Amino acid sequence: MQGNYFQPELECASREVLHYIQSKRLRKLVERCYNNVPLYKKRMDEFGILPGDIKDIDDVKKLPFTTKQDLRDTYPFGLFAVPREELARIHASSGTTGKQTVVGYTKADIDAWAVGAARSIVMAGGTKADLVHVSYGYGLFTGGLGLHYGAEKLGATAIPVSSGNTKRQVQILQDYGSDIICCTPSYAMYIGETVRDMGIDPQSLRVRAGIFGAEPWTDEMRREIERLLGIKAFDIYGLSEIAGPGVACECYLQSGLHINEDMFYPEIIDPDTGEVLPDGTYGELVFTCIGKEALPLMRYRTRDICSLDHTPCECGRTLVRMSKPRGRTDDMLIIRGINVFPSQIESVLLELGMDPNYQLVVDRVGNLDTLEVQVEMTEGMFSDTVRSLESIEHKIGNALQSTLNIVAKVRLLEPKSIPRSEGKAKRVIDKRKL
């Protein structure tokens, strides 16, 4: 490891070198998929494409897309490109609808995943000397083991705390002197609130950085986490189908997440037409897993909405940067014909000084969609008069209407009345029968 890089020869490689690596790996991936995955052979035959037609990475656009439904249709092992006996590990997505999507890894895949996570920890300022407090869940969910193996690959010390028992989490932060904490941003908020409620000065904790992902979060929420815990908060990106955490992460400049594009080749497409979009244009993020053996997905549609930026970063890395995801195409609510993302509502609430503890309740009365935004009051508001609270509800409602172009009912709730999550926060309750 040199300077602020884990593998400077790859993280700072020229675009020509990256193009060569990507092209070589894409050719190998396409041949493996065509020969070993019946679904891909069928799709490529339908497209009139043979492995030999793929010469370099620019030809990736000729290949068919893969979706989460394809993983479900071939459940559990139908998209694997190696015999089951060669799998070193199996994980599954944390999806809440239908069957989980099953993903597999060879020993080489596990090592590559650990490298991606190690690069991410270094991007957030991590070193071999650090204690890395991992509060993502362990098990079939990829979060916990992903950062755990990344810390060990770096040579740092992993503390496999997992999620839950939040006061114990705080005690470990105090007693062990953890340097870096890894969890979902909503759980980081909960830990920060617990630190505050226990009367602990966050500056008394040794922890200096947090690596947070697995759900969309806003820059306003970042600032609140940083204030509550006295740290610098970094966004990490990954998804089970691609690898898990470590696909991309922010460097110290926090101006986009560097994608490990020697392993995962990104594109941005129009979600409706599939057309590839230029840098700076928001669309759906698509990955081709050029560095994987067991599940080398071709042009996998992530459903995350973001943009790409290939301009050089001042940190020295040449790896392309993705913007913080604005949300997901499947998180997007269509209410009275208007596209609404929970992250938009969260931004409004935080700009008005509210805590980011909220839920959206969507229903349909007659033929009209309704949106109720339930927001926890801050401790200071709890003793306010009814008239004062009504004024706050009105103020939030006006700000939401200005941002969303729809009318939402706002209801203030008592502090801590919305259930806290130790994993991904449940933000939306959709009661409509669509």
Side-chain angles (χ1 to χ4, degrees), residues 178-404:
S178 310
D179 299 286
I180 296 172
I181 184 169
C182 310
C183 60
T184 62
S186 55
Y187 193 46
M189 278 290 303
Y190 189 24
I191 293 173
E193 291 171 350
T194 304
V195 167
R196 178 194 63 202
D197 295 346
M198 291 172 68
I200 298 169
D201 179 359
Q203 297 304 322
S204 70
L205 301 175
R206 182 172 161 177
V207 63
R208 69 177 188 276
I211 300 175
F212 307 127
E215 61 188 12
W217 54 303
T218 62
D219 282 326
E220 291 85 359
M221 188 171 181
R222 184 209 301 271
R223 288 191 288 270
E224 184 65 10
I225 292 171
E226 291 180 336
R227 184 187 68 80
L228 284 169
L229 287 172
I231 62 173
K232 190 162 186 177
F234 295 88
D235 198 356
I236 190 170
Y237 178 87
L239 62 166
S240 297
E241 300 92 314
I242 303 302
V247 174
C249 190
E250 290 179 319
C251 65
Y252 69 92
L253 293 166
Q254 296 176 316
S255 58
L257 291 79
H258 289 280
I259 297 173
N260 289 313
E261 57 175 313
D262 56 318
M263 307 179 197
F264 315 105
Y265 182 75
E267 301 171 89
I268 297 292
I269 65 167
D270 182 312
D272 296 322
T273 67
E275 175 191 3
V276 178
L277 301 175
D279 271 18
T281 305
Y282 277 83
E284 182 179 356
L285 180 62
V286 170
F287 277 115
T288 298
C289 301
I290 55 175
K292 290 184 68 176
E293 293 179 343
L295 190 65
L297 298 178
M298 294 195 299
R299 304 192 82 192
Y300 182 74
R301 298 186 61 159
T302 69
R303 299 182 294 187
D304 287 315
I305 303 297
C306 65
S307 65
L308 296 180
D309 181 0
H310 282 84
T311 59
C313 181
E314 291 180 18
C315 78
R317 290 177 180 82
T318 53
L319 300 172
V320 63
R321 285 170 288 165
M322 58 180 276
S323 65
K324 280 177 68 71
R326 284 184 171 178
R328 293 169 57 84
T329 57
D330 54 346
D331 281 347
M332 184 181 73
L333 297 165
I334 301 177
I335 301 173
R336 300 172 218 156
I338 303 292
N339 296 341
V340 176
F341 288 98
S343 57
Q344 294 174 292
I345 294 170
E346 182 176 294
S347 291
V348 170
L349 296 176
L350 286 164
E351 285 173 4
L352 294 176
M354 305 297 296
D355 290 338
N357 299 314
Y358 67 95
Q359 268 188 335
L360 314 180
V361 180
V362 187
D363 207 343
R364 179 163 288 169
V365 179
N367 292 317
L368 183 65
D369 292 335
T370 63
L371 171 62
E372 180 177 278
V373 181
Q374 300 177 349
V375 189
E376 280 188 10
M377 290 180 274
T378 62
E379 294 288 348
M381 294 164 49
F382 193 45
S383 60
D384 287 356
T385 64
V386 172
R387 180 171 293 182
S388 174
L389 296 177
E390 288 175 347
S391 175
I392 294 170
E393 289 178 339
H394 186 67
K395 182 179 180 181
I396 295 172
N398 285 341
L400 290 173
Q401 184 173 2
S402 177
T403 299
L404 306 176

